[in-house]
Amino acid sequence: MELKWLLYVTLLALGTLAVQAHDMDDDNDGDDVVDIEDDLDDGIEEVEESKSEMSAPPPTPKVTYRPPVPTGEVYFAESFDKGTLDGWILSRAKKDDTDDEIAKYDGKWEVQDMKDTKLPGDKGLVLVTRAKHHAISSKLSKPFVFDTKPLIIQYEVNFQNGIECGGAYVKLLSKTPELNLDQFHDKTPYTIMFGPDKCGEDYKLHFIFRHKNPKTGKYEEKHAKRPDADLKTYFTDKKTHLYTLVLNPDNSFEILVDQTVVNSGNLLNDMSPPVNPPREIEDPNDQKPEDWDERPKIPDPDAVKPDDWDEDAPAKIADENAVKPEGWLDDEPEYVADPDAEKPEDWDEDMDGEWEAPQVANPKCETAPGCGTWQRPMIDNPNYKGKWKPPMIDNVNYQGIWKPRKIPNPDFFEDLEPFKMTPFSAVGLELWSMTSDIFFDNFIICTERAVADDWANDGWGLKKAADGAAEVRNRERPWLWVVYILTVALPVFLVVLFCCSGKKQPSAAEYKKTDAPQPDVVDEDKEEEKDKGAKEEEEEEEANEEKLGSDADTGSASQEEEEEEEEEEDRKPASEEEETVNRSPRNRKPRKD
C-alpha cells in the first residue's frame, strides 16, 4: 500500500511541475510577441536578443497581427478587421423556379475570428449556416473598365470544417442600370466568376467570363480549361489558401493558388466554347446522294463456294475414342429423394398438391466416377467450317465518308480583344453549401501585381508565418508532449493501480490443503465462533480435571505429564493459540489417561 501511495505522489508531482513549466514558457512567449507598431512590411520579427549563455537556444519568433493596408491604387479592398459588415449588403431575393421553403437567400453571414487562429484579431467573413442560399455583395470604389491595365482579383478562403458540397467563388457583378444589390441572386449578370468549388470528388477552380456576341448582343459563358494540378489538398487540409486571378490586356491569364501558378492560357485559345466561332459551317441543307458509296470493302462477286464445303457440319462431335470409366453406376440416378425429409404438418394436398421429398445428391455417387447413363464427351469437329462467305476485296467505287459541304458562317465574327469585357461595379458571393463556417478574408481588386503581392504578404503571408512559428515552437519544445501524456495517462494509471492491482487473498481451501496458519478474521461471525470454541474448551478441561481427581490408579507420573502439557500450552505463540481456539473440540482426538 505504501508503494501505491509513493507512486501516486511521484506522478502527481511530475505532472504539477510539467504544467507549471508549460505556463512559465507561455508567459515567456508572451513577452516575446512582436510589437504591433513595428514595420508593417516585416510581418515577422525576431524576439529580443539571445541571452549571453552560448548554450541557450534562441527564442522562438512570434507573430502579431496587423490589418493589411493597400500600397497602391485599388478598386476594392476588404480585410473585415473592423468587425462589422459595413459596406456589405445582404440579399433579400428569392431564387426563381425553386420551392418557397428553400428559395430565400436566408443563409447567415458573420464577421468572426478564424477557428484555431494563430493571429488573434484577424477577422474574416464567415458563411455560418449550411444547406442555405447565401448572397452578399459590396460596391467597388469605382467601376472597373477593361482597357490597357491588367485585372487582378485576389482573396483568401479557409474551409474550416472541410467541404462536402459547395462553392467559395466570387462574382464580379456587371455594371448595368438594373443592378440592385438588395436583390442579388443567381441570375444577376456578372462579368467574371472565379474561385474554388467542390461536390463529391469533383474539385474545381472556376474561371468563367461572360462574353458578349458583337453581332447578336447575347452573352455566352466561356470556361477556362481545367488545371492539371491536383486541387484536393486545398479543400481538405483546413488551411487558409490564397486565390489569385490575373488577366492581361494581351488576353493571357494566370490562376494562382498560394502564389503558385496552377493554370494559365489565352482567352482566344484556351476557353470552352471558343470565343470566336468558325468561319465556315456545314450546310444544314446539304444531303447525301443516294448513289454515294461509303463501303471501303465489298464481298468478291466472283468468288465461288468450294464443292467440299459442308455448311451443315456441326461445330462439336462425340469423342469416339472415349471409354466409360470403370465403376460407373449406370443404374443409379445423380439425385434421389431425401430419406430424412418429412412432410410438413400443415401441408394441404388439396391446396399444395402431392408432397414430394426434396432431391439431394445420391450418396452412392460420391465414391463412384459417375452415375446415370454415360455419354461420350464432345470435342471440336475438325471438319467444321461454318457458313461460307465470299472474301472481302477493295471497293473500286468507294467515295469516302460523306460530309455536308462547308459554307460561310453567317454568324461569324472575330473578336481579337476578348479581354475588353463588360465593366463591373460590385463584388458578390452567391453560394449554396452543405458545409458551414467557410472563412473569407482579404479581398482586393487592383491593376498592379506589386500591390496585390504586398497585400498578400501582409495578410495571407502573415497567417502562413504564424503557422510556421507555431510549428517551430512545437519542434523546439518536445517536452510539452510529457505534459499532454501525463495529463491523460495519470488518471488512467491511478485507476488501474488502485482497482486492478490488489493482492489476492488465499481461500480457506488453500489453508486446508497446506495446513498453514490462517490469519486473523475480524468478522463478527468469526468472533462468535472463537468465543464459543474457547467456552467449550474450558468445559472440557474442567471435565478432565474431575476425571483425574477421581481416578485412584493415576500415578504421579501422569500428573507430571499433565503439568508439562500445560506448560507447553502456555509457551505456544499467540497465532497458534488462536488457531487452536478456532478449531472445534469435537474434531480433536481424545486424550489418553
Side-chain angles (χ1 to χ4, degrees):
M1 192 65 182
E2 290 77 4
L3 179 60
K4 292 181 180 179
W5 281 105
L6 180 60
L7 290 175
Y8 172 80
V9 173
T10 303
L11 289 174
L12 185 60
L14 288 175
T16 304
L17 290 175
V19 172
Q20 289 178 351
H22 180 233
D23 294 339
M24 292 176 63
D25 190 77
D26 289 342
D27 294 340
N28 292 334
D29 289 344
D31 295 338
D32 295 333
V33 175
V34 176
D35 191 354
I36 195 172
E37 296 179 358
D38 290 341
D39 188 7
L40 283 171
D41 296 331
D42 293 337
I44 302 175
E45 291 189 359
E46 298 181 353
V47 294
E48 297 177 359
E49 295 182 355
S50 303
K51 296 181 179 180
S52 58
E53 294 86 352
M54 296 298 294
S55 60
T60 304
K62 294 289 290 184
V63 181
T64 188
Y65 178 72
R66 69 192 66 235
V69 178
T71 58
E73 182 183 6
V74 297
Y75 289 79
F76 184 81
E78 178 62 81
S79 64
F80 302 101
D81 293 314
K82 295 178 294 184
T84 65
L85 288 174
D86 291 346
W88 291 83
I89 300 175
L90 295 172
S91 176
R92 297 186 299 171
K94 290 185 179 181
K95 289 178 68 74
D96 296 334
D97 304 326
T98 307
D99 294 340
D100 291 338
E101 296 180 357
I102 61 173
K104 294 181 180 180
Y105 283 89
D106 54 355
K108 294 183 180 180
W109 299 88
E110 292 182 5
V111 175
Q112 301 176 354
D113 286 343
M114 187 167 57
K115 294 180 180 179
D116 302 325
T117 181
K118 307 298 189 301
L119 290 173
D122 180 15
K123 299 183 182 297
L125 178 66
V126 179
L127 183 149
V128 177
T129 48
R130 63 182 297 275
K132 296 280 188 179
H133 291 290
H134 305 76
I136 191 171
S137 56
S138 181
K139 283 281 189 180
L140 274 59
S141 59
K142 59 180 178 180
F144 186 93
V145 178
F146 295 86
D147 47 21
T148 60
K149 293 183 179 181
L151 166 67
I152 301 174
I153 176 171
Q154 182 174 272
Y155 68 107
E156 302 169 15
V157 177
N158 187 313
F159 297 105
Q160 300 182 94
N161 297 332
I163 183 69
E164 178 183 352
C165 184
Y169 43 80
V170 299
K171 291 182 177 181
L172 306 182
L173 305 181
S174 302
K175 180 186 176 183
T176 62
E178 297 80 15
L179 179 61
N180 181 7
L181 300 185
D182 186 63
Q183 294 298 313
F184 174 37
H185 61 287
D186 59 326
K187 299 296 193 299
T188 300
Y190 69 89
T191 300
I192 291 175
M193 190 177 91
F194 168 66
D197 187 17
K198 183 253 183 183
C199 200
E201 291 300 315
D202 189 10
Y203 302 90
K204 298 179 181 179
L205 183 52
H206 291 297
F207 166 41
I208 306 171
F209 79 94
R210 296 173 70 247
H211 179 260
K212 183 178 181 180
N213 187 316
K215 296 191 69 172
T216 63
K218 294 182 179 180
Y219 285 88
E220 185 178 23
E221 290 184 350
K222 310 294 181 180
H223 297 248
K225 62 182 181 180
R226 295 179 70 99
D228 297 330
D230 185 7
L231 304 176
K232 183 175 181 179
T233 302
Y234 306 132
F235 293 84
T236 59
D237 61 4
K238 298 184 181 180
K239 294 183 179 180
T240 302
H241 294 287
L242 181 71
Y243 295 90
T244 308
L245 171 64
V246 180
L247 280 177
N248 297 308
D250 63 357
N251 299 321
S252 63
F253 68 87
E254 286 183 332
I255 299 175
L256 302 90
V257 180
D258 299 342
Q259 298 183 326
T260 300
V261 177
V262 297
N263 198 3
S264 62
N266 190 285
L267 299 178
L268 289 172
N269 306 320
D270 298 302
M271 307 301 291
S272 178
V275 170
N276 295 315
R279 292 179 177 272
E280 293 183 331
I281 61 172
E282 294 179 348
D283 185 359
N285 299 320
D286 193 13
Q287 296 182 353
K288 182 175 70 173
E290 294 182 359
D291 59 351
W292 189 275
D293 196 340
E294 293 181 332
R295 300 172 300 165
K297 297 281 187 178
I298 60 172
D300 185 0
D302 299 328
V304 179
K305 182 176 73 171
D307 294 337
D308 60 350
W309 191 283
D310 186 1
E311 293 183 347
D312 298 328
K316 297 282 186 178
I317 58 174
D319 185 2
E320 297 296 334
N321 297 323
V323 178
K324 182 173 69 173
E326 294 184 2
W328 187 280
L329 305 179
D330 296 271
D331 298 332
E332 291 290 339
E334 293 185 25
Y335 295 93
V336 296
D338 186 359
D340 298 328
E342 297 181 358
K343 183 173 70 173
E345 296 180 358
D346 58 350
W347 187 275
D348 187 348
E349 293 190 355
D350 294 335
M351 297 291 295
D352 304 324
E354 183 180 357
W355 181 82
E356 294 182 357
Q359 297 288 303
V360 295
N362 190 342
K364 296 181 180 180
C365 299
E366 294 180 356
T367 57
C371 292
T373 304
W374 180 79
Q375 295 181 349
R376 298 179 184 275
M378 303 298 289
I379 60 174
D380 293 334
N381 184 0
N383 298 320
Y384 173 75
K385 296 182 179 180
K387 186 175 180 61
W388 181 83
K389 295 180 181 179
M392 303 298 288
I393 61 174
D394 293 335
N395 183 4
V396 296
N397 297 321
Y398 175 66
Q399 296 175 274
I401 303 300
W402 182 86
K403 294 181 180 180
R405 64 175 178 268
K406 296 284 187 177
I407 61 173
N409 184 359
D411 298 324
F412 173 74
F413 63 85
E414 188 174 32
D415 182 1
L416 299 179
E417 295 179 318
F419 169 77
K420 294 185 177 181
M421 306 175 189
T422 304
F424 61 91
S425 59
V427 59
L429 297 167
E430 187 268 318
L431 305 170
W432 165 275
S433 177
M434 293 301 296
T435 307
S436 61
D437 296 331
I438 302 176
F439 184 89
F440 300 86
D441 200 6
N442 294 331
F443 289 87
I444 189 171
I445 299 174
C446 60
T447 60
E448 298 180 29
R449 190 70 171 265
V451 174
D453 290 343
D454 291 341
W455 180 267
N457 293 334
D458 293 342
W460 172 80
L462 208 59
K463 292 184 178 71
K464 183 178 180 182
D467 291 339
E471 293 176 0
V472 170
R473 287 197 298 273
N474 291 336
R475 289 197 300 268
E476 291 180 351
R477 294 180 290 180
W479 58 267
L480 287 178
W481 287 103
V482 177
V483 177
Y484 306 141
I485 293 174
L486 286 176
T487 303
V488 176
L490 183 60
V492 176
F493 178 78
L494 292 176
V495 170
V496 174
L497 182 66
F498 285 96
C499 296
C500 303
S501 62
K503 185 176 179 181
K504 183 178 178 180
Q505 298 294 334
S507 62
E510 295 295 329
Y511 290 110
K512 187 174 182 180
K513 290 179 181 178
T514 61
D515 200 24
Q518 190 170 357
D520 296 342
V521 182
V522 296
D523 295 338
E524 294 181 359
D525 296 340
K526 297 293 183 177
E527 290 292 338
E528 292 179 358
E529 292 179 1
K530 180 178 177 181
D531 296 340
K532 183 178 180 180
K535 184 176 181 180
E536 292 177 353
E537 185 177 2
E538 291 177 357
E539 293 176 354
E540 183 179 359
E541 289 178 353
E542 293 177 357
N544 291 335
E545 291 177 356
E546 293 176 358
K547 184 177 181 180
L548 290 173
S550 61
D551 193 350
D553 297 334
T554 302
S556 59
S558 298
Q559 293 179 352
E560 292 177 357
E561 290 177 359
E562 187 69 26
E563 291 175 357
E564 289 177 359
E565 289 178 359
E566 291 178 358
E567 290 176 358
E568 289 179 0
E569 290 294 332
D570 295 336
R571 289 195 298 267
K572 285 184 180 180
S575 61
E576 295 183 1
E577 182 178 357
E578 292 175 359
E579 181 182 2
T580 303
V581 172
N582 287 335
R583 295 179 181 177
S584 174
R586 289 188 298 270
N587 295 332
R588 295 181 182 178
K589 294 180 179 180
R591 183 181 302 170
K592 295 181 179 181
D593 295 331

